[in-house]
């Protein structure tokens, strides 16, 4: 088995640039390199690439990927792959449940049938980010937040989600207009945002400013806001920094 870099790129969907990057950082070296500089990969390298791509599908950071795939023990490698297989099967089952939820929603929308909130959100992983939240803000804060959410009626939960969407959409319009983060209009929206957050946890000056920075620094949160319009996350961060100055420690 001998595939050049272009063939591997076509086969896997991984760009040649990414493959060269993997080589540069020592994650995946080619079996050999031709006189023309073209990298070539054999079965060993392709199996390693498969392992890398499985880990990337599971959102494992590159630095952690390297420590996993660098083991020279075939038994350990097989055990790790078995764990990854279990994780992928769990992910498959979760997406299958989500697909069924969407299908039921479409049926009810098309036929005008009612749908309970439990049915509406069946299959969503509500605890996916809980370990990270506990690390960031502590067990007590997460426990209070979970209790507050569970204590809300379905109507209140929908209203809470709708308020966040309304604030984000309004911020997006102001971001498109290059609004001043300190302007009254923007600060009014941040006041609503702080109230929205405070339903579960009331952040002080530094905590709220840190939350604003996270909205930009964390790609997941940035994408969540910028889907409403480019620059929304940055406007919210800058506006929060202004608003936070008036909060107690």
């Amino acid at each position: 088995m001998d595939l050049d870099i272009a063939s591997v790129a076509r086969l896997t969907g991984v760009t040649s640039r990414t493959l060269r990057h993997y080589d540069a950082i020592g994650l995946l070296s080619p079996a050999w390199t031709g006189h023309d500089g073209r990298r070539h990969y054999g079965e060993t390298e392709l199996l390693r690439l498969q392992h890398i791509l499985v880990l990337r599908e599971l959102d494992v950071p590159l630095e952690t990927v390297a420590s996993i795939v660098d083991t020279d023990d075939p038994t350990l490698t097989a055990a790790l792959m078995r764990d990854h297989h279990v994780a992928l099967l769990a992910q498959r089952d979760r997406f299958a449940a989500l697909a069924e939820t969407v299908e039921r929603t479409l049926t009810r929308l098309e036929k005008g049938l009612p749908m309970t909130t439990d049915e509406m959100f069946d299959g969503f992983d509500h605890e996916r980010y809980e370990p990270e939240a506990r690390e960031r803000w502590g067990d007590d804060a997460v426990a209070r937040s979970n209790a507050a959410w569970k204590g809300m009626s379905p109507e209140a939960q929908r209203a809470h989600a709708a308020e966040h969407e309304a604030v984000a959409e309004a911020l997006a319009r102001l971001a498109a207009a290059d609004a001043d983060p300190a302007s009254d209009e923007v600060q009014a929206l941040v006041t609503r945002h702080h109230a929205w957050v405070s339903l579960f946890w009331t952040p002080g000056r530094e905590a709220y400013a840190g939350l604003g920075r996270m909205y930009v620094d964390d790609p997941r949160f940035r994408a969540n806001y910028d889907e409403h319009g480019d620059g929304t996350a940055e406007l919210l961060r800058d506006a929060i920094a202004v608003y936070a100055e008036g909060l107690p420690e």
Side-chain angles (χ1 to χ4, degrees):
M1 185 180 295
D2 181 5
L3 298 177
D4 66 12
I5 189 169
S7 299
V8 173
R10 286 194 298 271
L11 177 67
T12 64
V14 178
T15 66
S16 297
R17 181 178 180 179
T18 297
L19 290 170
R20 289 193 294 270
H21 175 65
Y22 286 172
D23 184 14
I25 64 176
L27 184 60
L28 178 68
S29 300
W32 60 282
T33 303
H35 295 300
D36 58 357
R38 189 177 296 272
R39 294 165 172 80
H40 291 256
Y41 301 83
E43 182 176 3
T44 299
E45 292 73 34
L46 293 175
L47 285 172
R48 183 180 174 93
L49 178 58
Q50 183 204 57
H51 197 177
I52 291 168
L53 296 182
V54 166
L55 292 168
R56 295 300 285 150
E57 287 290 335
L58 294 171
D59 295 326
V60 177
L62 274 181
E63 58 270 20
T64 305
V65 169
S67 66
I68 294 174
V69 299
D70 278 341
T71 176
D72 294 325
D73 184 347
T75 302
L76 178 57
T77 299
L80 290 169
M81 288 296 287
R82 190 171 294 110
D83 289 341
H84 306 331
H85 184 235
V86 170
L88 287 169
L89 290 176
Q91 193 173 76
R92 178 201 63 186
D93 293 343
R94 188 171 73 85
F95 278 114
L98 286 173
E100 290 178 6
T101 295
V102 172
E103 184 177 0
R104 285 196 300 269
T105 301
L106 288 171
T107 300
R108 283 162 172 74
L109 287 173
E110 291 168 351
K111 295 183 178 181
L113 299 174
M115 188 174 192
T116 68
T117 54
D118 286 340
E119 291 173 325
M120 196 178 300
F121 295 104
D122 181 34
F124 285 91
D125 186 358
H126 305 292
E127 299 179 353
R128 180 179 179 184
Y129 299 115
E130 186 166 313
E132 182 179 348
R134 290 183 181 278
E135 183 177 345
R136 282 182 183 270
W137 296 297
D139 291 340
D140 289 344
V142 173
R144 287 195 301 270
S145 177
N146 287 342
W149 179 256
K150 291 176 182 178
M152 296 169 65
S153 68
E155 293 75 15
Q157 290 176 352
R158 287 195 295 271
H160 186 69
E163 169 67 358
H164 181 258
E165 287 297 299
V167 169
E169 289 172 2
L171 282 168
R173 290 192 292 271
L174 292 173
D178 199 24
D180 183 349
S183 68
D184 291 343
E185 193 172 7
V186 174
Q187 287 299 302
L189 289 170
V190 176
T191 300
R192 289 170 60 185
H193 181 271
H194 186 266
W196 177 81
V197 172
S198 296
L199 184 64
F200 305 111
W201 160 63
T202 304
R205 182 186 308 165
E206 185 53 40
Y208 194 41
L211 186 65
R213 291 191 295 271
M214 186 186 70
Y215 288 151
V216 173
D217 296 341
D218 190 313
R220 296 166 301 179
F221 287 97
R222 183 172 190 138
N224 187 43
Y225 281 103
D226 281 358
E227 72 175 2
H228 297 280
D230 292 342
T232 304
E234 289 187 0
L235 177 60
L236 179 56
R237 176 199 60 192
D238 296 343
I240 284 176
V242 175
Y243 184 89
E245 287 300 316
L247 293 175
E249 292 288 351

